[in-house]
Amino acid sequence: MHDRTATPKPLVGELPELKGQGRDLRIDACRGIALWCIFLDHVPNNIGSWLTLRNYGFSDAAEVFMFVSGVTCALAYGKAWRCGGWTGLIGRTLWRSWDIYVAFLLLTLACAIMVHLAGGGHLADESNTHILLEQPGVTLAHAAILQYRPVNTDVLPLFVLYHLLFAPLLWLLLRAPNATLGASLLLYALVHVFGWTIPAWPNGHWAFNPLAWQLLVVLGAWWMIEDKRARLWVTSRTALVAAVLYLVFSLIIALSWSIKPLEALVPQALLTLLYPMEKSNLNPLRLLHFLALAVLVVWLVPRNWRGLTTAVMRGAILCGQNSLPIYCLGVLLTFASHLALLDISEGLTMQIALSVGGVLVMIVAATLLNLIKIKPRQRPHAKPPDLPVERPTKFELVINLKTAKALGVDIPPTLPASCRRGDRIKMLFAPVRESGCGADPVPAIAHAFGPPAKTVGQDVN
């Protein structure tokens, strides 16, 4: 007997990742590179930040991280929905939100401990932990309700909220994807018109206004739901030309702040019009710059890009697959690097060593986490002798009376006695194979005349 909640019928679009295409390593690579860039950008006076997006356009790694998180949420929770229905999906979102919430509180305490051991002072002011050291009770109470955040931890409270709300978001996207994206765009516009935000403490300011940055998460999830239709627009030559022109324009504007000859070419009136480019509410110019980057990446980086097999990309993929612990580690490495620059040396050699060393530490940590999490059924490149044996518990018997009579085969009268007679008598007892969703009925005859059913055991981090 089949569980109706185990295989809900697709409503509008299929999630491409659930059709057996396998894990798209580009998603993990983009998220891993974004984690590296966030670490490099947050170390002050660091030459390593010149390797990130921040100095070459209007947006930075934060937009990439938010968008990719929306993509992975659609994939992971889409699988949870197919496996356990809406009940399983809601349970999964609650559990993931709790994980992020606990990680945020522990990271807040770790930041306060590091600053305290370093003597506080200037570092406490820059990291917004001075008030935590002076008034720990009140500050931790506000941190518990996500109103207080040390510097560089602002992303985690957002994801607590977004994961909690992702179940209703997915429900809307599966029924009316374009209308849901339109509502998200409307909320984004209203934030810029009326300055809407949610309470924060102690200064009422969010580094990432949740009401504005939700657009990128919704956009990422919408992209996976409307994959084919969205690609028609993104892969058009018109979109490519517009994206390249906008990227060149933003590159000139961004570099004009650092290169004097370019500064002379850019009219001051234009700079006054464009800046300040507010990050808290996701300035529209930043959003357009990210969209232009996304179009260029889709054109230049195919799914089977060979560069994904290089050592650097493999390191980025590992970090992307363990995004929560690696993000927290990156925040702590930022504090440690800042202390090293203040107490040891601010020279170029130290900056390079801290940048390279921090990225390597993140890769090593991600590698260890992957080794710890690997289970027999999830082992990559496993050989057939190493795979677990699945023992069938029930069988299917199909009897064709006409064929049996033509071949002269006598069917015992007791065998089909309990079945309805006709041209074709079927006694169905489907073998049950274990999968990531629980029991997955697969007809035995499929092994001889068709490919085995796909399991849904792989989880997206």
Side-chain angles (χ1 to χ4, degrees):
M1 182 175 182
H2 296 278
D3 181 5
R4 294 181 181 274
T5 62
T7 55
K9 183 180 179 181
L11 301 175
V12 174
E14 290 279 354
L15 295 173
E17 203 73 7
L18 303 179
K19 292 181 179 179
Q21 296 181 8
R23 190 176 187 124
D24 192 342
L25 296 180
R26 294 176 300 176
I27 297 174
D28 296 323
C30 285
R31 188 159 55 172
I33 293 173
L35 289 168
W36 294 351
C37 292
I38 291 171
F39 160 69
L40 295 173
D41 283 338
H42 288 164
V43 179
N45 303 320
N46 179 27
I47 193 173
S49 64
W50 282 95
L51 299 174
T52 69
L53 295 172
R54 184 177 64 178
N55 298 292
Y56 305 102
F58 299 148
S59 65
D60 57 26
E63 283 83 356
V64 178
F65 194 72
M66 287 287 184
F67 176 82
V68 173
S69 296
V71 171
T72 54
C73 281
L75 295 176
Y77 293 137
K79 291 180 180 180
W81 169 65
R82 289 177 180 273
C83 295
W86 293 109
T87 302
L89 169 60
I90 294 173
R92 179 77 175 274
T93 58
L94 292 175
W95 186 258
R96 185 58 176 170
S97 299
W98 173 254
D99 284 344
I100 301 173
Y101 178 73
V102 172
F104 165 67
L105 294 181
L106 292 177
L107 183 60
T108 300
L109 292 175
C111 292
I113 292 171
M114 289 188 66
V115 173
H116 175 71
L117 294 177
H122 182 63
L123 182 61
D125 294 330
E126 289 191 355
S127 61
N128 194 29
T129 55
H130 186 81
I131 190 170
L132 176 58
L133 297 175
E134 286 190 342
Q135 306 176 38
V138 176
T139 307
L140 288 176
H142 283 282
I145 57 175
L146 306 180
Q147 289 187 341
Y148 165 78
R149 303 158 306 280
V151 170
N152 303 338
T153 66
D154 306 85
V155 169
L156 296 182
L158 263 69
F159 282 126
V160 173
L161 299 176
Y162 294 157
H163 281 265
L164 282 174
L165 298 174
F166 202 85
L169 173 62
L170 185 61
W171 187 88
L172 292 171
L173 282 171
L174 289 174
R175 284 159 175 77
N178 295 330
T180 304
L181 179 62
S184 177
L185 282 167
L186 177 61
L187 176 59
Y188 171 78
L190 293 175
V191 167
H192 284 273
V193 173
F194 298 106
W196 289 352
T197 185
I198 60 178
W201 186 86
N203 53 12
H205 174 75
W206 282 79
F208 301 93
N209 185 352
L211 300 180
W213 284 80
Q214 52 79 27
L215 176 59
L216 284 174
V217 177
V218 175
L219 188 62
W222 174 87
W223 170 270
M224 298 311 299
I225 300 293
E226 292 288 283
D227 179 64
K228 292 182 179 179
R229 297 179 185 177
R231 287 184 183 277
L232 291 177
W233 293 89
V234 173
T235 56
S236 67
R237 294 191 178 274
T238 302
L240 177 63
V241 171
V244 170
L245 291 176
Y246 188 77
L247 290 175
V248 172
F249 166 73
S250 63
L251 176 65
I252 295 173
I253 298 297
L255 290 180
S256 67
W257 289 97
S258 306
I259 302 176
K260 292 297 181 182
L262 284 178
E263 184 180 5
L265 296 176
V266 179
Q268 189 62 36
L270 179 60
L271 293 177
T272 305
L273 179 64
L274 297 178
Y275 289 93
M277 199 169 295
E278 187 183 22
K279 184 176 182 178
S280 176
N281 289 330
L282 186 58
N283 187 281
L285 294 177
R286 295 179 63 98
L287 177 62
L288 290 175
H289 183 262
F290 165 75
L291 294 177
L293 281 175
V295 171
L296 195 62
V297 169
V298 170
W299 271 85
L300 298 181
V301 184
R303 186 185 182 94
N304 58 348
W305 182 48
R306 292 185 178 181
L308 294 172
T309 61
T310 61
V312 175
M313 288 295 103
R314 287 201 303 269
I317 290 169
L318 288 172
C319 291
Q321 291 173 350
N322 300 275
S323 58
L324 178 58
I326 297 303
Y327 177 84
C328 296
L329 176 62
V331 173
L332 298 179
L333 288 174
T334 299
F335 276 87
S337 300
H338 194 180
L339 287 174
L341 291 174
L342 291 176
D343 298 340
I344 302 175
S345 172
E346 294 183 351
L348 182 62
T349 303
M350 177 61 73
Q351 295 176 32
I352 296 175
L354 292 174
S355 299
V356 175
V359 172
L360 289 177
V361 169
M362 295 165 77
I363 294 175
V364 171
T367 303
L368 294 175
L369 288 172
N370 255 29
L371 293 175
I372 294 172
K373 291 194 303 182
I374 285 179
K375 299 177 182 178
R377 198 158 17 99
Q378 298 175 332
R379 282 179 294 182
H381 311 297
K383 298 180 180 179
D386 300 329
L387 295 175
V389 177
E390 297 174 345
R391 183 177 61 185
T393 58
K394 296 182 182 179
F395 300 90
E396 179 187 73
L397 176 62
V398 180
I399 303 174
N400 190 311
L401 292 181
K402 287 186 176 181
T403 304
K405 184 177 181 179
L407 294 175
V409 178
D410 294 330
I411 304 298
T414 57
L415 184 60
S418 60
C419 302
R420 190 169 67 92
R421 288 189 172 274
D423 290 341
R424 190 183 182 97
I425 296 179
K426 300 181 69 176
M427 298 171 59
L428 299 178
F429 300 94
V432 176
R433 297 172 55 201
E434 290 187 357
S435 74
C437 303
D440 179 21
V442 181
I445 199 168
H447 293 283
F449 298 99
K454 307 282 183 188
T455 59
V456 203
Q458 183 184 19
D459 180 25
V460 177
N461 194 356

